[in-house]
Amino acid sequence: MSLAHYLSMGSFALAASISPGPVNIVALTTGLRHGFRASVGHVTGATVGFTALLLLSGLGLAELLLQWPGVTRIIGAAGVAFLIYLAWNLWRDDGRISDGKVRRPPSLLSGAVQQWLNPKAWIAAIAGMGAFGMGGGTARIWLFSALYFVVCYASIAAWAYAGARLRHYLDDAGRMRAFNRAMAALVALSALYLAFES
C-alpha cells in the first residue's frame, strides 16, 4: 500500500472519530465533571468498543446484517433510544459540578457499550471497512483497525481533555446547565435525524 492510501485511511478515521457525536459528548462532559485522568476508562472502553465493531464489520458482520435487515432496524431503534436517553439526562442535569454527591465517571464497559448503541459508530464502521478494509484481505482489515484504534483513542481523549480544560470556565451551575442543554439539543437533533432517515 502507498503512503497516500495510509493517509486516506487516517483522514477517514480522524474525520469520523473527532466529529461531534454521542460518545464524544459523553467524553467532553466526563472530562468536565471528573477531570481528564478519570475519563481515561471511558476513552479506552469507547475506543476498544468501536475497534471491535470495526473489526467485526470487516470480518463479515456487515454481510450478516444485510441478510437479516430486521436486526439492523432493531440496532437502529436501540441507537435512537440511547441518544434520546442521553439527551434527556444531559437536559435534566442541574449543572452543579461539585454538589456533594459522589458520581462515578463512565466505566470502560459503559464506553464500549455506548459505541455499540451509537448509530454514528455503526455508519463509520461499515463505511470505513467498505472503503478501506475490503478487497485487501484479512491483513488489510487488521491494519485498518489498528490504525483506526490509534486515531479513535486520540480523538475521544481530545474531547475529554477539552472538557477538563473547560471546567474552570463552566464552574457556575447556570453556565454548566446551559452548556448541558446545548449538548442535549445536539444529541436530540441527531436522534431525530436518524429516526426519520431510517
Side-chain angles (χ1 to χ4, degrees):
M1 282 192 334
S2 67
L3 177 62
H5 202 80
Y6 285 110
L7 289 174
S8 295
M9 284 179 166
S11 297
F12 176 87
L14 181 62
S17 298
I18 199 98
S19 59
V23 172
N24 288 340
I25 290 171
V26 171
L28 180 73
T29 56
T30 301
L32 217 158
R33 191 168 293 281
H34 301 283
F36 180 72
R37 184 173 286 172
S39 304
V40 170
H42 172 262
V43 170
T44 304
T47 304
V48 168
F50 177 79
T51 306
L53 179 60
L54 180 70
L55 188 59
L56 289 173
S57 294
L59 297 175
L61 180 64
E63 287 80 17
L64 188 64
L65 290 176
L66 287 174
Q67 293 177 8
W68 293 323
V71 174
T72 305
R73 285 191 290 278
I74 291 169
I75 291 168
V80 168
F82 164 69
L83 292 178
I84 292 168
Y85 170 77
L86 178 62
W88 173 248
N89 281 329
L90 279 168
W91 186 268
R92 68 187 187 99
D93 188 84
D94 64 9
R96 290 182 288 171
I97 292 177
S98 300
D99 58 2
K101 296 177 186 172
V102 177
R103 294 180 180 163
R104 289 186 179 165
S107 67
L108 190 136
L109 180 61
S110 91
V113 170
Q114 284 173 12
Q115 287 288 32
W116 280 74
L117 292 175
N118 179 3
K120 179 188 167 199
W122 282 89
I123 293 166
I126 292 170
M129 268 305 162
F132 299 105
M134 309 309 260
T138 308
R140 185 176 292 178
I141 291 169
W142 281 95
L143 175 70
F144 182 53
S145 298
L147 175 69
Y148 214 121
F149 178 90
V150 173
V151 173
C152 184
Y153 194 95
S155 297
I156 299 171
W159 280 86
Y161 182 76
R165 299 298 295 166
L166 284 172
R167 186 180 178 119
H168 66 279
Y169 295 111
L170 296 172
D171 58 357
D172 173 71
R175 281 183 281 191
M176 182 65 179
R177 192 166 41 251
F179 176 81
N180 283 343
R181 289 186 173 177
M183 295 297 104
L186 288 174
V187 172
L189 285 172
S190 298
L192 286 173
Y193 173 77
L194 290 167
F196 289 113
E197 184 73 12
S198 53

